[in-house]
Amino acid sequence: AQSVTQPDIHITVSEGASLELRCNYSYGATPYLFWYVQSPGQGLQLLLKYFSGDTLVQGIKGFEAEFKRSQSSFNLRKPSVHWSDAAEYFCAVGPHNYGQNFVFGPGTRLSVLP
Amino acid sequence: EADIYQTPRYLVIGTGKKITLECSQTMGHDKMYWYQQDPGMELHLIHYSYGVNSTEKGDLSSESTVSRIRTEHFPLTLESARPSHTSQYLCASSESRGGSAFFGQGTRLTVV
C-alpha cells in the first residue's frame, strides 16, 4: 500500500533563511509525486510535481524538490523564505492505476519569523 | 488555468437541516473527490467518482452522500446536519491516472 510521511509537524524559520521540508513515501514502482501548499481557510495549490525524467523539479514561488529513489524521498526546498510562505505544506503520491487515489502526507506547518 | 469551484465558501446551519455543498469543474476531468479536513489537520478522503454515474466511498466513513449526474458537477449532501459535521470540505478533480489534483477553495461548514 502507498503511504506518505512528513516527519516534521511544524517548522519555524527566519525570513530569508533556507528551507527544506521532508517527505518520504512508500510505493512499489516509480511514484508520481506532488507538493501542495495550503493557506489558512483555503484549498490546496499545486507547487510542483514529478512524473519522470530530471529528478530535480522546479515549481512555482521559487520552490524546488528533488526525487531520490534510493532514499524514497521527495524533499521540498527554497533558498530564501519569504513571510508569505507561511502555510501548511502537503506531500502526496498520485495514482498510477485506475483504482488508486492520491495519498497525502499529514502536512508540515511552516512558520516564518520576521 | 485550473478551474474548480465550490459554493458556498462558508455555511453556518442548524442541527437537523439538510445541506448540499456544490462543486463544479471546467477541466473535463473524469475523477472527482471530496475530502474532509479539520483546521491544521490532514486530509481525509470521504467520497470519489470515476465519472458520470460512478460514486465510491473513501477511506473515512461519512454520513454524507454524493452524486455524479454530469461530468463537471459533484455535489455532496448531508441529509441531517450535526455538530460533528463541522469541518472544512474540499473538492478536487484530476485525470483518472497520471495527472495532478486540482482543488477548490473549500467550504467551511459550521453546524450549531
Side-chain angles (χ1 to χ4, degrees):
Chain A
Q2 303 168 79
S3 67
V4 177
T5 57
Q6 294 179 246
D8 304 304
I9 296 172
H10 184 203
I11 284 182
T12 300
V13 299
S14 297
E15 191 169 19
S18 63
L19 171 71
E20 182 169 31
L21 302 182
R22 296 183 291 165
C23 172
N24 294 96
Y25 66 89
S26 173
Y27 189 72
T30 299
Y32 298 147
L33 294 163
F34 305 83
W35 274 101
Y36 288 85
V37 61
Q38 184 182 34
S39 298
Q42 300 294 315
L44 277 68
Q45 181 184 19
L46 179 66
L47 281 176
L48 48 79
K49 60 190 177 187
Y50 171 79
F51 287 171
S52 64
D54 193 346
T55 56
L56 184 64
V57 293
Q58 303 296 320
I60 62 172
K61 303 176 188 271
F63 285 93
E64 66 178 25
E66 185 171 14
F67 169 58
K68 291 186 177 180
R69 184 190 304 275
S70 61
Q71 299 176 20
S72 297
S73 68
F74 189 56
N75 295 348
L76 182 72
R77 300 194 294 248
K78 187 170 185 178
S80 178
V81 169
H82 188 261
W83 64 266
S84 60
D85 293 325
E88 191 84 19
Y89 291 80
F90 292 93
C91 181
V93 171
H96 264 256
N97 300 313
Y98 185 74
Q100 295 175 333
N101 289 312
F102 286 86
V103 177
F104 287 88
T108 296
R109 183 159 62 96
L110 174 66
S111 297
V112 181
L113 299 175
Chain B
E1 183 71 24
D3 291 320
I4 179 164
Y5 305 100
Q6 290 186 241
T7 57
R9 287 292 316 279
Y10 304 94
L11 179 62
V12 180
I13 200 162
T15 297
K17 299 292 186 182
K18 177 181 179 178
I19 59 170
T20 296
L21 308 185
E22 302 288 348
C23 177
S24 294
Q25 51 100 2
T26 60
M27 296 169 282
H29 287 159
D30 288 328
K31 205 161 180 184
M32 296 189 74
Y33 315 80
W34 277 103
Y35 292 88
Q36 185 174 342
Q37 182 190 33
D38 291 326
M41 303 297 285
E42 57 193 291
L43 283 78
H44 295 287
L45 180 65
I46 53 175
H47 297 284
Y48 60 101
S49 166
Y50 289 106
V52 171
N53 294 326
S54 157
T55 60
E56 304 285 345
K57 291 190 180 295
D59 307 320
L60 181 68
S61 175
S62 173
E63 294 167 347
S64 58
T65 59
V66 292
S67 62
R68 190 90 182 272
I69 298 172
R70 304 198 312 267
T71 298
E72 63 271 21
H73 195 213
F74 191 42
L76 181 146
T77 298
L78 275 167
E79 291 291 334
S80 180
R82 296 211 299 264
S84 61
H85 297 139
T86 294
S87 190
Q88 174 161 255
Y89 293 84
L90 294 170
C91 180
S93 72
S94 74
E95 296 171 9
S96 292
R97 54 184 174 180
S100 308
F102 295 93
F103 283 80
Q105 296 248 43
T107 294
R108 186 95 183 106
L109 173 65
T110 302
V111 184
V112 298

